[in-house]
Amino acid sequence: CPHDCPDTCGMLVTVKDGVAVKIQGDPSMPFTEGTLCTKVSHYLERTYAPERVLHPLRRVGAKGKGEFRRISWDEALDEIGARLKALAASPEGPECILPLSYAGTMGMVQYSSMDRRFFHRLGASVLERTLCSSAGKFGLKATLGGSLGMDPERFSEAKLILLWGANPVVSNLHLWPRVLQAQRRGAKVIAIDPYRSLSAEKCTQHVAPLPGTDGALALGMMHVLVAENLIDRDYIARHTLGFEELAARLQQYPPEWAARTCGLRVEEVVQLARDYGSLKPAAIRLNYGMQRHAGGGIAARNIACLPARTGAWRDAAGGILLSTNDFYNFDHAALERPDLLAGRKPRVINHAAIGDALTGAQPPVRAVIVYNNNPVAVCPDSEKVVAGFAREDLFCVVMDSFLTDTADYADIVLPATTQLEHYDVHKSYGHLYVLANNPAIAPLGESLPNSEVFRRLAARMGYDEACFRDSDEDICRSALRSANPRMQGIAWDAVKESGWQRLRVDERFAPFAEGGFPTPSGKCEFYSAWLKEQCLDPLPFFNPPAESAASNPALARKFPLAFLSPPARNFLNSTFANLKRFRDQEGEPHLEMHREDAAARGIADGDAVRVFNGRGGYTLRARVNDKPRRGVVVAPSVWWRKFSPDGRNANSVTSQRIADLGGGATFYDCLVEVEKV
Ligand SMILES: Nc1nc2c(c(=O)[nH]1)N[C@H]1C(S)=C(S)[C@@H](COP(=O)(O)OP(=O)(O)OC[C@H]3O[C@@H](n4cnc5c(=O)[nH]c(N)nc54)[C@H](O)[C@@H]3O)O[C@H]1N2
Ligand SMILES: Nc1nc2c(c(=O)[nH]1)N[C@H]1C(S)=C(S)[C@@H](COP(=O)(O)OP(=O)(O)OC[C@H]3O[C@@H](n4cnc5c(=O)[nH]c(N)nc54)[C@H](O)[C@@H]3O)O[C@H]1N2
Ligand SMILES: [Mo]
């Protein structure tokens, strides 16, 4: 499965007379064990949906209306080629062209190969893809040296599991049976989440800090660990850097301070630290929810310091898992061919502030090519994003399988294949396997894989480098060419045959049991010279959210509620949200509110309410309960604007503010007010 989800499932498709008739999990795949989620188990309905775009289309109505007529591939590609050539030759040059792509599909061929080669050769503006994980990624890089962590298959053996800003029942389904197994064996499972999610509900305990305060909680826990001598001095001495400096720094962060900052009781902070220091092995599942805040990068860094302080890494069932991405050594240079830039350094545009870029960049963005991405629905601060896409002078191409909120603004829509119809090769950010995606059926209608569209466009542009003639299987083959020991014996033909292969790591993989962190010092860096070089504090500290009562009291007086819009169970970001089955299962756009917050506003369960702040607002249905902590409201997302009551969604209120590390988006750092409609 190519979706943006840590599970990257093994799947089998049964085909009869050229038609896919059955989809199931591959029972042989050890991590996903033959089960699929509520969405992908109905994937055939997506592939064969009557709403699928099966031919190239040209806009006939106003931008945003979604009115098109069918055209041929030749007409579409001739026009795109001519427009891009003219823009590249204009005084503003190729940097006025911008690819807009993200993670609609995460296979290396359709996510980042021929497309990157094409835009490198063109010299287009470079998109910094920051919508999801950048802040946490850089927080981990500073501390552990990369996006690396414990093997999720070992969670079942842990004695303590912290689900920290993670809701596996919804967004990491195949971790969940392992968490339950650990719990049955007597493990304590604690959710750390401002919201009593479906996962938190089933945990041994739920700790609900204020959004964006996780960094403070980790500091308070570390203070207690040192004060109560719950640390592993031997591991610290051999495999960490900066213990003494951090110990001195931690004087500032006693549990009373952490409790006050996080809106928790002191006992909660102290007990979390004691559990963490004494129950072994201790596994932390950190997920990206907690880093969508202004201080999210440093928060992830602070939490990533914890396992090295207690020596949790010594055990295969201990440590922390945010992402396993960097265990794979795919050949990205061969895939993307940055050498085709030939020394040019095009400007970089941040995806998380695309509204500002499309409305204000100088020189202006004149053309966007959108694929694997639905920016009008998923990018923050929709009013600005929509204003950008509505520009009459912006040439917009959208490649997708459906007429998304973004496609409605396209000049030309190109029909994209689904995973059943093309080749791909996958890594995962939540396990340790390489998977092959073999096509099961021929492309429906006239749809084409992204790779083929860019191959044909390259020919239109007259690019004659041999790499533009690579087949998709050639690309798969070169992706896996690697001298890294973890990749030995994992060649395309073998993976294609078996469907999946585990990286060459021990069965009981304990990545940092003997240290060996890929940081500059080779140690877990409590002190990071790399951060210092970037003029950032080299030691862990509390970096508060930008929008909170403590950090911006004036704003909080106008907009007192923290607004979270985490993944909905029946959608995958905005994918599936256009199909009736999944919308029906999800119900309708709704806002969960604490009963006291609702009562204070005269809001009853089921009322239509408007969420708003200085950036915008939208209407949805209130569900009054005690799942969010007081002061927090939760709107499972991402609904399409056009399937929402007033044609808007959660991103009408989210901000384009950038996080402290990696240029990351800050979707959950957002204050709002709510009123009854
Ligand atoms: N069904 C489904 N699965 C998905 C997705 C989807 O849309 N639907 N999206 C996929 C993608 S792209 C991603 S990135 C992943 C991960 O996506 P994540 O954003 O990590 O989502 P969750 O695992 O739901 O965890 C989010 C939890 O974090 C909580 N949270 C929010 N802010 C804070 C905070 O400041 N502190 C703490 N402690 N908790 C906070 C939320 O209340 C929520 O319960 O999920 C993937 N899986
Ligand atoms: N308010 C709010 N906003 C969020 C989030 C949130 O939690 N709250 N989460 C953020 C996160 S974590 C992420 S990762 C982003 C996700 O944002 P996106 O990566 O844009 O993900 P999707 O919304 O699923 O849109 C992907 C699109 O790609 C298309 N697609 C899929 N496969 C292919 C293919 O092979 N070829 C082509 N051409 N198209 C394809 C799908 O049909 C879909 O329309 O959203 C972010 N936005
Ligand atoms: Mo994401």
Side-chain angles (χ1 to χ4, degrees):
C1 177
H3 283 300
D4 186 353
C5 165
D7 292 28
T8 317
C9 295
M11 298 185 350
L12 299 175
V13 176
T14 309
V15 180
K16 220 177 145 194
D17 303 325
V19 178
V21 292
K22 184 177 171 197
I23 189 163
Q24 67 193 106
D26 176 352
S28 80
M29 201 299 197
F31 183 68
T32 58
E33 296 180 305
T35 57
L36 297 173
C37 67
T38 53
K39 306 166 294 292
V40 177
S41 54
H42 299 288
Y43 201 85
L44 299 186
E45 292 176 36
R46 180 170 190 271
T47 293
Y48 292 111
E51 297 94 329
R52 253 197 75 180
V53 179
L54 294 175
H55 311 280
L57 301 170
R58 174 193 289 283
R59 180 167 64 87
V60 292
K63 288 214 174 193
K65 281 271 187 267
E67 292 163 4
F68 300 97
R69 75 173 165 82
R70 180 174 171 180
I71 57 173
S72 69
W73 268 106
D74 274 337
E75 183 179 345
L77 293 176
D78 284 346
E79 166 145 2
I80 298 167
R83 295 289 287 258
L84 298 188
K85 266 190 196 164
L87 287 170
S90 74
E92 286 165 3
E95 282 181 329
C96 69
I97 301 162
L98 176 70
L100 275 178
S101 80
Y102 198 50
T105 191
M106 295 199 75
M108 288 298 115
V109 179
Q110 308 308 338
Y111 173 81
S112 63
S113 64
M114 210 46 99
D115 57 316
R116 305 292 209 271
R117 298 174 185 184
F118 179 85
F119 291 111
H120 285 144
R121 175 68 176 76
L122 178 63
S125 282
V126 171
L127 182 71
E128 194 183 11
R129 292 176 174 79
T130 51
L131 288 183
C132 177
S133 56
S134 315
K137 174 181 166 165
F138 283 87
L140 251 66
K141 186 175 161 66
T143 313
L144 307 178
S147 295
L148 303 160
M150 60 177 287
D151 183 345
E153 286 174 77
R154 296 279 83 79
F155 268 71
S156 53
E157 301 161 26
K159 285 286 175 263
L160 174 73
I161 296 178
L162 302 184
L163 297 176
W164 202 320
N167 181 9
V169 172
V170 164
S171 65
N172 186 189
L173 190 63
H174 298 87
L175 186 72
W176 188 245
R178 295 171 165 97
V179 173
L180 292 180
Q181 200 179 356
Q183 206 176 25
R184 273 195 303 273
R185 291 172 172 170
K188 191 165 185 182
V189 183
I190 306 178
I192 303 177
D193 193 318
Y195 169 61
R196 204 172 74 237
S197 67
L198 285 174
S199 308
E201 214 144 54
K202 299 186 178 68
C203 287
T204 325
Q205 190 188 340
H206 175 207
V207 175
L210 288 164
T213 64
D214 304 272
L217 181 55
L219 290 166
M221 286 170 67
M222 286 196 273
H223 177 106
V224 176
L225 289 173
V226 177
E228 302 194 0
N229 201 23
L230 294 169
I231 53 180
D232 183 335
R233 295 206 178 262
D234 175 59
Y235 190 91
I236 288 170
R238 288 196 291 143
H239 304 308
T240 72
L241 185 73
F243 175 78
E244 295 302 334
E245 291 94 324
L246 177 53
R249 169 69 62 89
L250 288 172
Q251 297 297 322
Q252 298 171 33
Y253 302 122
E256 294 73 20
W257 168 86
R260 212 164 43 241
T261 308
C262 301
L264 296 173
R265 288 176 290 114
V266 183
E267 306 82 72
E268 285 179 294
V269 179
V270 172
Q271 179 235 312
L272 260 181
R274 286 181 183 157
D275 284 348
Y276 189 72
S278 57
L279 298 173
K280 291 177 183 178
I284 301 178
R285 182 41 160 139
L286 191 63
N287 213 331
Y288 291 109
M290 53 68 57
Q291 50 97 65
R292 308 191 198 294
H293 295 275
I298 295 296
R301 161 166 167 71
N302 294 357
I303 297 166
C305 288
L306 283 165
R309 301 189 74 78
T310 59
W313 290 117
R314 287 180 188 275
D315 199 299
I320 187 168
L321 172 66
L322 176 61
S323 167
T324 52
N325 184 64
D326 289 345
F327 285 125
Y328 297 81
N329 278 77
F330 280 33
D331 189 342
H332 292 281
L335 284 166
E336 304 181 6
R337 295 294 305 273
D339 57 294
L340 293 167
L341 279 167
R344 294 168 294 178
K345 286 202 172 61
R347 71 172 161 188
V348 174
I349 289 184
N350 189 330
H351 212 164
I354 202 65
D356 282 348
L358 293 180
T359 51
Q362 280 308 327
V365 177
R366 302 282 185 197
V368 288
I369 317 287
V370 185
Y371 54 102
N372 301 343
N373 187 208
N374 184 8
V376 169
V378 306
C379 287
D381 201 353
S382 312
E383 300 312 313
K384 296 251 176 62
V385 179
V386 167
F389 275 91
R391 273 172 46 203
E392 281 301 328
D393 64 332
L394 180 75
F395 178 61
C396 175
V397 177
V398 173
M399 302 157 56
D400 207 299
S401 307
F402 294 95
L403 286 180
T404 60
D405 284 342
T406 308
D408 286 349
Y409 291 86
D411 294 291
I412 291 183
V413 178
L414 300 176
T417 44
T418 69
Q419 56 169 324
L420 268 54
E421 304 151 65
H422 54 228
Y423 274 107
D424 225 320
V425 61
H426 291 270
K427 46 185 173 178
S428 160
Y429 57 94
H431 60 61
L432 298 169
Y433 297 81
V434 176
L435 294 93
N437 181 159
N438 295 301
I441 55 170
L444 294 196
E446 293 183 354
S447 60
L448 289 179
N450 297 339
S451 50
E452 179 61 15
V453 175
F454 286 103
R455 216 176 265 122
R456 292 186 187 187
L457 269 178
R460 288 288 195 294
M461 303 291 283
Y463 299 162
D464 56 9
E465 288 81 357
C467 69
F468 291 111
R469 291 187 294 278
D470 285 354
S471 71
D472 287 357
E473 285 200 77
D474 292 337
I475 297 172
C476 293
R477 211 163 272 122
S478 57
L480 298 182
R481 237 170 251 142
S482 163
N484 190 287
R486 285 191 295 267
M487 296 285 287
Q488 290 320 296
I490 306 186
W492 170 243
D493 290 308
V495 185
K496 184 185 165 182
E497 184 62 33
S498 60
W500 56 266
Q501 263 186 281
R502 184 168 162 96
L503 291 175
R504 296 279 173 265
V505 293
D506 296 344
E507 202 202 320
R508 297 189 55 76
F509 183 44
F512 307 124
E514 298 295 330
F517 294 88
T519 53
S521 65
K523 299 185 169 190
C524 174
E525 297 199 346
F526 302 138
Y527 180 96
S528 166
W530 181 71
L531 286 179
K532 186 152 194 244
E533 276 161 30
Q534 301 167 62
C535 300
L536 295 164
D537 193 328
L539 285 171
F541 66 103
F542 177 52
N543 209 10
E547 301 193 4
S548 73
S551 57
N552 191 341
L555 186 73
R557 272 192 293 279
K558 274 165 74 183
F559 307 117
L561 299 169
F563 176 78
L564 302 178
S565 49
R569 187 178 199 175
N570 298 290
F571 305 156
L572 199 293
N573 299 320
S574 78
T575 302
F576 299 103
N578 60 318
L579 300 176
K580 190 169 178 308
R581 164 191 289 276
F582 306 102
R583 281 206 314 278
D584 285 351
Q585 280 176 8
E586 204 49 47
E588 60 187 329
H590 63 266
L591 184 75
E592 301 202 27
M593 295 186 79
H594 191 277
R595 55 186 89 256
E596 289 171 28
D597 290 325
R601 291 163 178 80
I603 292 166
D605 189 51
D607 281 350
V609 293
R610 185 164 175 275
V611 173
F612 62 97
N613 61 19
R615 292 177 286 267
Y618 79 117
T619 304
L620 65 179
R621 183 87 50 201
R623 285 196 191 162
V624 177
N625 53 42
D626 57 358
K627 290 183 182 176
R629 64 168 284 158
R630 269 207 71 179
V632 176
V633 292
V634 178
S637 291
V638 179
W639 288 82
W640 286 23
R641 287 162 62 89
K642 61 180 155 189
F643 292 113
S644 299
D646 62 357
R648 289 180 164 76
N649 72 10
N651 285 317
S652 294
V653 291
T654 57
S655 92
Q656 298 183 71
R657 187 181 291 108
I658 299 306
D660 50 358
L661 295 180
T666 60
F667 290 102
Y668 305 164
D669 194 336
C670 176
L671 286 176
V672 298
E673 181 53 291
V674 179
E675 66 186 9
K676 189 169 160 167
V677 174

